[in-house]
Amino acid sequence: MPKNKGKGGKNRKRGKNEADDDKRELVFKEDGQEYAQVLRMLGNGRCEAMCIDGIKRLCHIRGKMHKKVWIAAGDIILVGLRDFQNDKADVILKYMADEARLLKAYGELPDTTRLNETVGGGLEDDEDQFGDDYVEFEDEDIDKI
């Protein structure tokens, strides 16, 4: 049998389950930073986000956050703007749900920002517009079968 040359298995590589439930200090934006909401994840450590200043930017998730902080569509993030590329940014911090609500309460985020829902469109509440998978049956059709 081959000799084990590693220092452990996949659980060691995964790291400890560090509880981030403790309260951390709320971080506000500084010069060269902007709040953004993730529109969609692109893979390869990148995401597309709509910044509060109205510009859609391609954001790169920094290595310190990679595989440790999971970012999904609809999350509020803090991005560092690039001086040389206006359409690209770097993700600095992901705000938890309660921190995003506090930012909105302090007036840092506009009132039009939707915090709890994902940004992508789902089924509408209107009865006229249904998804492609929705089929409506009448009671009379069922009796004929």
Side-chain angles (χ1 to χ4, degrees), residues 11 14-20:
N11 288 334
R14 212 177 275 161
K16 294 178 184 174
N17 187 11
E18 298 174 4
D20 289 332

Side-chain angles (χ1 to χ4, degrees), residues 3-139:
K3 194 171 189 180
N4 292 335
K5 297 187 179 188
K7 291 192 168 54
K10 66 179 179 180
N11 288 334
R12 181 188 168 276
K13 293 175 190 170
R14 212 177 275 161
K16 294 178 184 174
N17 187 11
E18 298 174 4
D20 289 332
D21 296 337
D22 56 343
K23 293 285 184 181
R24 63 181 184 189
E25 188 175 332
L26 189 61
V27 179
F28 294 102
K29 72 173 183 175
E30 297 174 2
D31 290 338
Q33 297 177 349
E34 192 64 58
Y35 300 113
Q37 186 168 23
V38 178
L39 296 176
R40 61 187 180 139
M41 295 301 296
L42 300 174
N44 199 21
R46 299 182 186 274
C47 64
E48 190 175 76
M50 178 60 78
C51 293
I52 300 303
D53 59 4
I55 300 173
K56 189 184 291 187
R57 291 188 170 98
L58 179 70
C59 299
H60 177 263
I61 300 171
R62 54 185 283 196
K64 187 177 181 180
M65 298 175 67
H66 187 67
K67 289 193 176 180
K68 292 176 181 64
V69 178
W70 293 100
I71 298 175
D75 288 342
I76 302 296
I77 56 175
L78 181 67
V79 296
L81 304 177
R82 297 182 179 181
D83 296 335
F84 51 93
Q85 292 173 317
N86 194 27
D87 59 338
K88 293 187 180 179
D90 302 301
V91 178
I92 296 173
L93 179 78
K94 175 194 167 191
Y95 290 105
M96 301 301 198
D98 57 338
E99 293 173 333
R101 282 192 291 274
L102 279 174
L103 282 175
K104 195 170 182 179
Y106 286 139
E108 294 285 323
L109 297 176
D111 294 333
T112 58
T113 306
R114 304 170 97 186
L115 298 179
N116 296 334
E117 301 101 19
T118 58
V119 180
L123 273 176
E124 297 290 329
D125 291 336
D126 300 334
E127 294 180 6
D128 296 338
Q129 296 178 349
F130 293 110
D132 294 335
D133 297 336
Y134 186 80
V135 179
E136 187 172 329
F137 291 103
E138 304 259 341
D139 289 337

